[in-house]
Amino acid sequence: MKLAGAQAVRYFAKPDPARLGLLIFGADAMRVALRRQEVIAALIGPEGEGEMRLTRLSGGDLRRSPGLVLDAIKEIGFFPGPRVVFVEEATDGTAPAFAAAVKAWAPGDAQIIATAGALTAKSALRKVFEGHANAYAIGIYDDPPSREEIEDILKKAGLAHVPAETMTDILALSRALDPGDFRQTIEKIALYKHGDATPLTPHEVTLCAPATVEAEVDAALDLVAEGRVPEFAQMMRRIEGQGVAPVTLAIMATRHFRTLHMAASDPAGPGSGIAKMRPPVFGPRRERLQGQAQKWGMFRLDEALKVLIEADLTLRSSSRAPQMAVIERALMRLASIAAKH
């Protein structure tokens, strides 16, 4: 049988031990692996692998010896409790091996958990699991996690007090990160809040979100847009030391000021413009960009973009001017303009 949506999410968290098997497939190997880990842990518990109630096989093993999966589900374990036979990297070429195991499966045998890459609707492997009344097949796609999934992740991490405003930012974060990084970020937030019973705030989410060199550049561009000239001069030395290319800095500066221009141009105001952005902007950064857009206004942002485009053209031309000096001078000019208003 086929499961999807909320039903699939609930099944991963609480699989039926009486089922003979589950196929999890999808193009994103990380998403598939996370779901596979979740469902196996729910079936055999934290001590299952240590008690040898988990047998691992690969699709390559089955292609060489198709009978391995059948032998594995029939084995009798040394320890009591449910058993799982996990087969990773299964393909349509292994479908006959699974078909034989499914046909011979009986209550008391180990449950089969198989993972595969992207499979078409006509996949022979999918048909083995989808066509059996006591087995499931679940496709994992690139859609961001649902609110229900995120709430479940937060609950498992021990984050019970999440106000609506903070949840909005966590939803935005889930769309900006891949699943593995998102879960790690939630775990980091949970460690940060350990022993703290106060509600989780947007600022705390931002503090724990992944930091990159790009975040350093964004911080420098915030200083430019807010007219904080001395602080920007100090930040530029750090950015230079990190090896950020002048053209990269020009591209990111132009993107930042175009974002402000888009927000300032929105008929309903900068707040509405920022709310429409994709990927979404969350937390204190949203308020900061809104303040910058209001400070500059649409017409002065037009002039700022002209300055940046001129600097970018100079960088890409045959000019012999020192490239970092060109973009630094342009940004310093914008910071000086912002400081006067």
Side-chain angles (χ1 to χ4, degrees), residues 37-333:
Q37 291 169 0
E38 182 181 6
V39 77
I40 290 177
L43 283 169
I44 63 175
E47 304 300 324
E49 188 162 10
E51 294 177 350
M52 297 180 288
R53 291 187 284 113
L54 174 64
T55 301
R56 295 176 181 270
L57 300 171
S58 71
D61 294 332
L62 298 195
R63 283 189 289 274
R64 288 187 295 272
S65 302
L68 282 176
V69 66
L70 176 55
D71 292 341
I73 65 171
K74 295 293 183 180
E75 285 179 357
I76 298 174
F78 291 105
F79 294 88
R83 294 181 302 112
V84 165
V85 174
F86 164 49
V87 184
E88 62 181 334
E89 298 179 352
T91 63
D92 281 343
T94 62
F98 283 104
V102 164
K103 186 177 180 180
W105 188 91
D109 290 346
Q111 184 166 154
I112 303 166
I113 303 295
T115 60
L119 298 174
T120 67
K122 296 180 179 180
S123 160
L125 183 60
R126 282 181 61 174
K127 287 179 180 178
V128 171
F129 287 85
E130 289 180 357
H132 199 287
N134 198 32
Y136 283 132
I138 300 176
I140 304 294
Y141 302 102
D142 291 339
D143 301 329
S146 66
R147 188 185 181 97
E148 184 179 1
E149 291 177 83
I150 292 170
E151 288 174 348
D152 185 57
I153 293 169
L154 291 170
K155 182 179 178 182
K156 288 179 178 176
L159 294 167
H161 303 293
V162 182
E165 182 186 13
T166 309
M167 180 59 80
T168 298
D169 292 345
I170 289 175
L171 289 168
L173 190 64
S174 74
R175 286 156 176 74
L177 301 176
D178 66 46
D181 288 342
F182 177 67
R183 285 177 182 260
Q184 287 178 355
T185 301
I186 296 300
E187 289 171 9
K188 184 178 177 182
I189 293 171
L191 286 172
Y192 181 85
K193 291 292 287 182
H194 182 69
D196 181 356
T198 61
L200 181 65
T201 67
H203 180 63
E204 289 170 329
V205 172
T206 302
L207 284 175
C208 296
T212 62
V213 171
E214 187 170 331
E216 288 271 319
V217 175
D218 284 339
L221 296 174
D222 285 334
L223 298 176
V224 171
E226 292 163 7
R228 294 156 66 180
V229 178
E231 293 170 79
F232 167 67
Q234 293 175 2
M235 180 69 82
M236 272 302 297
R237 303 287 75 79
R238 287 173 55 184
I239 290 173
E240 235 179 317
Q242 291 172 343
V244 177
V247 171
T248 301
L249 188 54
I251 291 170
M252 292 183 68
T254 304
R255 184 179 66 191
H256 184 94
F257 276 83
R258 276 183 177 151
T259 297
L260 297 182
H261 188 273
M262 187 185 305
S265 304
D266 193 282
S272 174
I274 290 172
K276 296 173 185 175
M277 290 177 186
R278 294 295 178 271
V281 181
F282 61 91
R285 177 136 191 84
R286 179 176 54 218
E287 297 172 10
R288 194 167 191 177
L289 287 178
Q290 184 174 336
Q292 292 170 13
Q294 289 170 335
K295 179 181 179 70
W296 278 84
M298 184 176 70
F299 297 110
R300 286 202 296 128
L301 285 166
D302 281 335
E303 296 304 314
L305 286 171
K306 288 178 184 177
V307 171
L308 291 170
I309 291 169
E310 183 181 344
D312 188 51
L313 290 172
T314 302
L315 292 175
R316 297 170 190 270
S317 71
S318 57
S319 170
R320 295 186 178 181
Q323 291 204 327
M324 187 57 83
V326 169
I327 186 61
E328 185 174 356
R329 185 165 59 246
L331 293 174
M332 191 64 77
R333 180 179 170 188

